[in-house]
Every structure is written in structure tokens, then in C-alpha cells.
Amino acid sequence: MANNVGQTASSQHAALDNRSETSVILGRNVTRLRKQAKITKQKFALMVGVGRPFLNRIENGTADPRLSVILRLADALETTPQELLTNPGEPPTQSMPKRHTRLG
């Protein structure tokens, strides 16, 4: 059965799974980098301009922050949004797509 935007229930579920996986990765990375920098949650929440409860949800992987918040998190942790959203063991994705070998 399709909803009003044309997605099936299974594709909506897959999108939610992907979003929640990304939220968990973000939370783990924010927690790890914040602790490495020896910044308390209270101070970090002030640095980023979010409430402490929202920061807790981000670090627990239950929040789905806007891009503007992810950018502020990365800036406060002196890293990139890409690093925050990537598993530490995964190679970073390329920002530019590869050209087809025949196109040179």
C-alpha cells in the first residue's frame, strides 16, 4: 500500500532504518569526540546552541538533528560532518563521483 507521497510501507521502513542507523553513528561519534576533547555535556550543549536534553538524544542516537545542528556539532568538535556521519572503520566516501573509465 502506498502513502500520499508514493512510498510503499517497506521503503518507508527502510528509510527509517537507515535514518536511525545514521543517528546511532552520529551519536557514537559525537560522544567519542566530545569525551576525547574532555568537554562536559553541559558545556558542549552551550557551545553548539542546543539544550542538554536534545544533546542527550543526539548522543543516544534517538534524535534526528537538522543539518544546521550537525554543522555546529562538527564545528565545535573541530571535525567535518562527514566524519560525524561515518563509522570510524569505514573508508570515507568520495565527494566527487568517479568518471567512467571511457570518459577519461
Side-chain angles (χ1 to χ4, degrees), residues 33-96:
L33 294 170
R34 179 184 59 76
K35 286 180 177 181
Q36 283 178 357
K38 298 180 181 173
I39 304 170
T40 65
K41 281 187 179 184
Q42 185 65 37
K43 182 177 179 182
F44 190 62
L46 291 170
M47 289 170 65
V48 177
V50 298
R52 174 93 186 269
F54 187 53
L55 178 59
N56 286 337
R57 289 182 44 229
I58 290 170
E59 290 194 357
N60 291 334
T62 58
D64 188 22
R66 294 176 183 254
L67 178 59
S68 61
V69 174
I70 295 170
L71 293 172
R72 292 194 316 258
L73 290 166
D75 187 49
L77 293 168
E78 297 180 354
T79 190
T80 63
Q82 181 178 356
E83 184 178 340
L84 290 180
L85 297 169
T86 305
N87 267 326
E90 283 183 21
T93 57
Q94 293 183 353
S95 58
M96 295 292 292

